[in-house]
Amino acid sequence: MITKDMTLADVVKAHPNTIGFLNGLHLDYCCGGHEAISIAIREKGMDVEKFLAELNEVAARPTAAKDVHADIESFKDLKVTEMLDDLEATHHVTDRRLMAETEDLLNKILIVHYPHHGEMLTRLHHLYAGLKAELEEHFAKEEQLVFPLMRQHPHPDKETLDLVQQLEDEHTGAGDVIKEIQQLTNNFTPPEDACPTFRHTYATMEALFDDIFIHIFKENSIAFPEYAEQQ
Ligand SMILES: [Fe+2]
Ligand SMILES: [Fe+2]
């Protein structure tokens, strides 16, 4: 039973099949604050009781998001070092591929649709370029600095824990830019005159962000806390 005192991260940890429902409402379960549902939902101007009733119904229902459910359940069973290997082999690879695809597509629609949507697309292109740079640097830092230190120090020392905290702060920063992009694109709703490439760009970007949310959730709410507990 999900209660109003739980955070959305707690909910996803216990019921990964709620991710689709939360994404649909653009609720942050991974990168933002870890506030109780009662606070987070009220801040969004939504009815807490109604939300909880729907969320409990979704959590109890076997859904099409079964793959994500199984993925998170099996991730939780790994040892910390196996979690780090898994993150590098899955989300880091997928997100780099989707980032490159999105970048190409965005550049194409920026040129073709400049006459009618130049202002919005310039802003989107700019925000995305900044986010992509930050994420590439963040992935490099994880792979080359922080994850190797975590493997070397299975019982965390202060220096490593401080670096893990930096990673979490960077997740929050990325989440903020993604929220700005969601607003700017009206949650990836293409304009009426959008061509198939425009629609494909938004769909690719949305798939990228959905994967990034799961990626960050696994780090912030499963791998990093599990590591910190090994003291
Ligand atoms: Fe990562
Ligand atoms: Fe990360």
PDB file of all heavy atoms in Angstrom, residues 87-88 91-92 95 138-139 142-143 147 171 215-216 219 224, ligand 1:
ATOM      1  N   LEU A  87      25.355  -0.609 -15.221  1.00  0.00           N
ATOM      2  CA  LEU A  87      25.007   0.756 -15.652  1.00  0.00           C
ATOM      3  C   LEU A  87      25.846   1.165 -16.870  1.00  0.00           C
ATOM      4  O   LEU A  87      25.335   1.748 -17.831  1.00  0.00           O
ATOM      5  CB  LEU A  87      25.251   1.757 -14.516  1.00  0.00           C
ATOM      6  CG  LEU A  87      24.272   1.676 -13.336  1.00  0.00           C
ATOM      7  CD1 LEU A  87      24.861   2.336 -12.097  1.00  0.00           C
ATOM      8  CD2 LEU A  87      22.937   2.321 -13.705  1.00  0.00           C
ATOM      9  N   GLU A  88      27.133   0.838 -16.810  1.00  0.00           N
ATOM     10  CA  GLU A  88      28.026   1.207 -17.918  1.00  0.00           C
ATOM     11  C   GLU A  88      27.676   0.452 -19.196  1.00  0.00           C
ATOM     12  O   GLU A  88      27.742   0.993 -20.292  1.00  0.00           O
ATOM     13  CB  GLU A  88      29.486   0.918 -17.537  1.00  0.00           C
ATOM     14  CG  GLU A  88      30.010   1.887 -16.496  1.00  0.00           C
ATOM     15  CD  GLU A  88      31.487   1.659 -16.155  1.00  0.00           C
ATOM     16  OE1 GLU A  88      32.066   0.660 -16.628  1.00  0.00           O
ATOM     17  OE2 GLU A  88      32.031   2.473 -15.414  1.00  0.00           O
ATOM     18  N   HIS A  91      22.776   1.566 -19.687  1.00  0.00           N
ATOM     19  CA  HIS A  91      22.307   2.954 -19.847  1.00  0.00           C
ATOM     20  C   HIS A  91      23.362   3.878 -20.453  1.00  0.00           C
ATOM     21  O   HIS A  91      23.019   4.755 -21.249  1.00  0.00           O
ATOM     22  CB  HIS A  91      21.830   3.501 -18.500  1.00  0.00           C
ATOM     23  CG  HIS A  91      20.600   2.811 -18.012  1.00  0.00           C
ATOM     24  ND1 HIS A  91      19.371   2.979 -18.607  1.00  0.00           N
ATOM     25  CD2 HIS A  91      20.414   1.914 -17.025  1.00  0.00           C
ATOM     26  CE1 HIS A  91      18.477   2.235 -17.993  1.00  0.00           C
ATOM     27  NE2 HIS A  91      19.083   1.581 -17.026  1.00  0.00           N
ATOM     28  N   HIS A  92      24.628   3.701 -20.076  1.00  0.00           N
ATOM     29  CA  HIS A  92      25.642   4.600 -20.652  1.00  0.00           C
ATOM     30  C   HIS A  92      25.727   4.416 -22.169  1.00  0.00           C
ATOM     31  O   HIS A  92      25.886   5.387 -22.906  1.00  0.00           O
ATOM     32  CB  HIS A  92      27.009   4.368 -19.989  1.00  0.00           C
ATOM     33  CG  HIS A  92      27.084   4.985 -18.615  1.00  0.00           C
ATOM     34  ND1 HIS A  92      28.227   5.571 -18.119  1.00  0.00           N
ATOM     35  CD2 HIS A  92      26.158   5.115 -17.642  1.00  0.00           C
ATOM     36  CE1 HIS A  92      27.991   6.033 -16.894  1.00  0.00           C
ATOM     37  NE2 HIS A  92      26.744   5.752 -16.578  1.00  0.00           N
ATOM     38  N   ASP A  95      22.200   5.682 -23.747  1.00  0.00           N
ATOM     39  CA  ASP A  95      22.025   7.137 -23.685  1.00  0.00           C
ATOM     40  C   ASP A  95      22.988   7.863 -24.622  1.00  0.00           C
ATOM     41  O   ASP A  95      22.621   8.874 -25.225  1.00  0.00           O
ATOM     42  CB  ASP A  95      22.190   7.636 -22.236  1.00  0.00           C
ATOM     43  CG  ASP A  95      21.092   7.090 -21.329  1.00  0.00           C
ATOM     44  OD1 ASP A  95      20.080   6.593 -21.865  1.00  0.00           O
ATOM     45  OD2 ASP A  95      21.246   7.143 -20.096  1.00  0.00           O
ATOM     46  N   HIS A 138      29.663  13.966 -17.335  1.00  0.00           N
ATOM     47  CA  HIS A 138      29.225  13.202 -16.161  1.00  0.00           C
ATOM     48  C   HIS A 138      29.489  11.697 -16.348  1.00  0.00           C
ATOM     49  O   HIS A 138      29.999  11.028 -15.444  1.00  0.00           O
ATOM     50  CB  HIS A 138      27.732  13.468 -15.952  1.00  0.00           C
ATOM     51  CG  HIS A 138      27.095  12.680 -14.866  1.00  0.00           C
ATOM     52  ND1 HIS A 138      27.135  13.075 -13.540  1.00  0.00           N
ATOM     53  CD2 HIS A 138      26.404  11.515 -14.882  1.00  0.00           C
ATOM     54  CE1 HIS A 138      26.494  12.180 -12.802  1.00  0.00           C
ATOM     55  NE2 HIS A 138      26.029  11.233 -13.597  1.00  0.00           N
ATOM     56  N   PHE A 139      29.163  11.176 -17.528  1.00  0.00           N
ATOM     57  CA  PHE A 139      29.407   9.745 -17.799  1.00  0.00           C
ATOM     58  C   PHE A 139      30.913   9.447 -17.722  1.00  0.00           C
ATOM     59  O   PHE A 139      31.323   8.413 -17.182  1.00  0.00           O
ATOM     60  CB  PHE A 139      28.902   9.333 -19.191  1.00  0.00           C
ATOM     61  CG  PHE A 139      27.394   9.295 -19.333  1.00  0.00           C
ATOM     62  CD1 PHE A 139      26.558   9.727 -18.320  1.00  0.00           C
ATOM     63  CD2 PHE A 139      26.811   8.816 -20.497  1.00  0.00           C
ATOM     64  CE1 PHE A 139      25.176   9.700 -18.460  1.00  0.00           C
ATOM     65  CE2 PHE A 139      25.428   8.776 -20.645  1.00  0.00           C
ATOM     66  CZ  PHE A 139      24.612   9.224 -19.632  1.00  0.00           C
ATOM     67  N   GLU A 142      31.997   9.323 -14.133  1.00  0.00           N
ATOM     68  CA  GLU A 142      31.594   8.068 -13.495  1.00  0.00           C
ATOM     69  C   GLU A 142      32.524   6.930 -13.934  1.00  0.00           C
ATOM     70  O   GLU A 142      33.032   6.174 -13.105  1.00  0.00           O
ATOM     71  CB  GLU A 142      30.139   7.729 -13.871  1.00  0.00           C
ATOM     72  CG  GLU A 142      29.152   8.631 -13.164  1.00  0.00           C
ATOM     73  CD  GLU A 142      27.689   8.296 -13.416  1.00  0.00           C
ATOM     74  OE1 GLU A 142      27.381   7.610 -14.416  1.00  0.00           O
ATOM     75  OE2 GLU A 142      26.853   8.738 -12.625  1.00  0.00           O
ATOM     76  N   GLU A 143      32.711   6.819 -15.238  1.00  0.00           N
ATOM     77  CA  GLU A 143      33.456   5.662 -15.773  1.00  0.00           C
ATOM     78  C   GLU A 143      34.947   5.715 -15.446  1.00  0.00           C
ATOM     79  O   GLU A 143      35.571   4.683 -15.221  1.00  0.00           O
ATOM     80  CB  GLU A 143      33.283   5.597 -17.295  1.00  0.00           C
ATOM     81  CG  GLU A 143      31.863   5.227 -17.695  1.00  0.00           C
ATOM     82  CD  GLU A 143      31.586   5.449 -19.178  1.00  0.00           C
ATOM     83  OE1 GLU A 143      32.538   5.709 -19.938  1.00  0.00           O
ATOM     84  OE2 GLU A 143      30.412   5.388 -19.563  1.00  0.00           O
ATOM     85  N   PHE A 147      33.394   5.528 -10.414  1.00  0.00           N
ATOM     86  CA  PHE A 147      33.101   4.092 -10.331  1.00  0.00           C
ATOM     87  C   PHE A 147      34.377   3.286 -10.026  1.00  0.00           C
ATOM     88  O   PHE A 147      34.330   2.377  -9.184  1.00  0.00           O
ATOM     89  CB  PHE A 147      32.401   3.585 -11.604  1.00  0.00           C
ATOM     90  CG  PHE A 147      30.963   4.047 -11.765  1.00  0.00           C
ATOM     91  CD1 PHE A 147      30.370   4.912 -10.863  1.00  0.00           C
ATOM     92  CD2 PHE A 147      30.188   3.596 -12.840  1.00  0.00           C
ATOM     93  CE1 PHE A 147      29.058   5.348 -11.019  1.00  0.00           C
ATOM     94  CE2 PHE A 147      28.876   4.014 -12.995  1.00  0.00           C
ATOM     95  CZ  PHE A 147      28.310   4.891 -12.090  1.00  0.00           C
ATOM     96  N   HIS A 171      23.078  14.984 -11.271  1.00  0.00           N
ATOM     97  CA  HIS A 171      21.786  14.419 -11.708  1.00  0.00           C
ATOM     98  C   HIS A 171      20.678  15.451 -11.537  1.00  0.00           C
ATOM     99  O   HIS A 171      19.811  15.590 -12.400  1.00  0.00           O
ATOM    100  CB  HIS A 171      21.417  13.189 -10.876  1.00  0.00           C
ATOM    101  CG  HIS A 171      22.323  12.008 -11.071  1.00  0.00           C
ATOM    102  ND1 HIS A 171      22.428  10.993 -10.159  1.00  0.00           N
ATOM    103  CD2 HIS A 171      23.163  11.684 -12.087  1.00  0.00           C
ATOM    104  CE1 HIS A 171      23.289  10.094 -10.601  1.00  0.00           C
ATOM    105  NE2 HIS A 171      23.758  10.497 -11.766  1.00  0.00           N
ATOM    106  N   HIS A 215      17.935   5.441 -15.524  1.00  0.00           N
ATOM    107  CA  HIS A 215      19.385   5.421 -15.257  1.00  0.00           C
ATOM    108  C   HIS A 215      19.685   6.151 -13.936  1.00  0.00           C
ATOM    109  O   HIS A 215      20.322   5.601 -13.030  1.00  0.00           O
ATOM    110  CB  HIS A 215      20.036   6.109 -16.464  1.00  0.00           C
ATOM    111  CG  HIS A 215      21.519   6.266 -16.424  1.00  0.00           C
ATOM    112  ND1 HIS A 215      22.221   6.723 -17.508  1.00  0.00           N
ATOM    113  CD2 HIS A 215      22.441   6.073 -15.458  1.00  0.00           C
ATOM    114  CE1 HIS A 215      23.499   6.765 -17.213  1.00  0.00           C
ATOM    115  NE2 HIS A 215      23.671   6.386 -15.979  1.00  0.00           N
ATOM    116  N   ILE A 216      19.200   7.372 -13.819  1.00  0.00           N
ATOM    117  CA  ILE A 216      19.467   8.175 -12.621  1.00  0.00           C
ATOM    118  C   ILE A 216      18.794   7.554 -11.398  1.00  0.00           C
ATOM    119  O   ILE A 216      19.364   7.517 -10.308  1.00  0.00           O
ATOM    120  CB  ILE A 216      19.020   9.641 -12.831  1.00  0.00           C
ATOM    121  CG1 ILE A 216      19.930  10.315 -13.873  1.00  0.00           C
ATOM    122  CG2 ILE A 216      19.029  10.415 -11.514  1.00  0.00           C
ATOM    123  CD1 ILE A 216      19.576  11.754 -14.188  1.00  0.00           C
ATOM    124  N   GLU A 219      20.909   4.810 -10.064  1.00  0.00           N
ATOM    125  CA  GLU A 219      22.095   5.298  -9.353  1.00  0.00           C
ATOM    126  C   GLU A 219      21.701   5.928  -8.014  1.00  0.00           C
ATOM    127  O   GLU A 219      22.191   5.525  -6.957  1.00  0.00           O
ATOM    128  CB  GLU A 219      22.862   6.294 -10.242  1.00  0.00           C
ATOM    129  CG  GLU A 219      23.520   5.583 -11.424  1.00  0.00           C
ATOM    130  CD  GLU A 219      24.240   6.495 -12.400  1.00  0.00           C
ATOM    131  OE1 GLU A 219      24.203   7.733 -12.246  1.00  0.00           O
ATOM    132  OE2 GLU A 219      24.852   5.954 -13.353  1.00  0.00           O
ATOM    133  N   PHE A 224      23.836   3.941  -5.277  1.00  0.00           N
ATOM    134  CA  PHE A 224      24.592   4.821  -4.373  1.00  0.00           C
ATOM    135  C   PHE A 224      24.221   4.603  -2.895  1.00  0.00           C
ATOM    136  O   PHE A 224      25.122   4.496  -2.046  1.00  0.00           O
ATOM    137  CB  PHE A 224      24.452   6.295  -4.788  1.00  0.00           C
ATOM    138  CG  PHE A 224      25.039   6.623  -6.151  1.00  0.00           C
ATOM    139  CD1 PHE A 224      24.785   7.847  -6.761  1.00  0.00           C
ATOM    140  CD2 PHE A 224      25.850   5.716  -6.830  1.00  0.00           C
ATOM    141  CE1 PHE A 224      25.322   8.152  -8.015  1.00  0.00           C
ATOM    142  CE2 PHE A 224      26.386   6.004  -8.088  1.00  0.00           C
ATOM    143  CZ  PHE A 224      26.119   7.231  -8.682  1.00  0.00           C
TER     144      PHE A 224
HETATM  145 FE    FE B   1      25.533   6.745 -14.964  1.00  0.00          FE
END
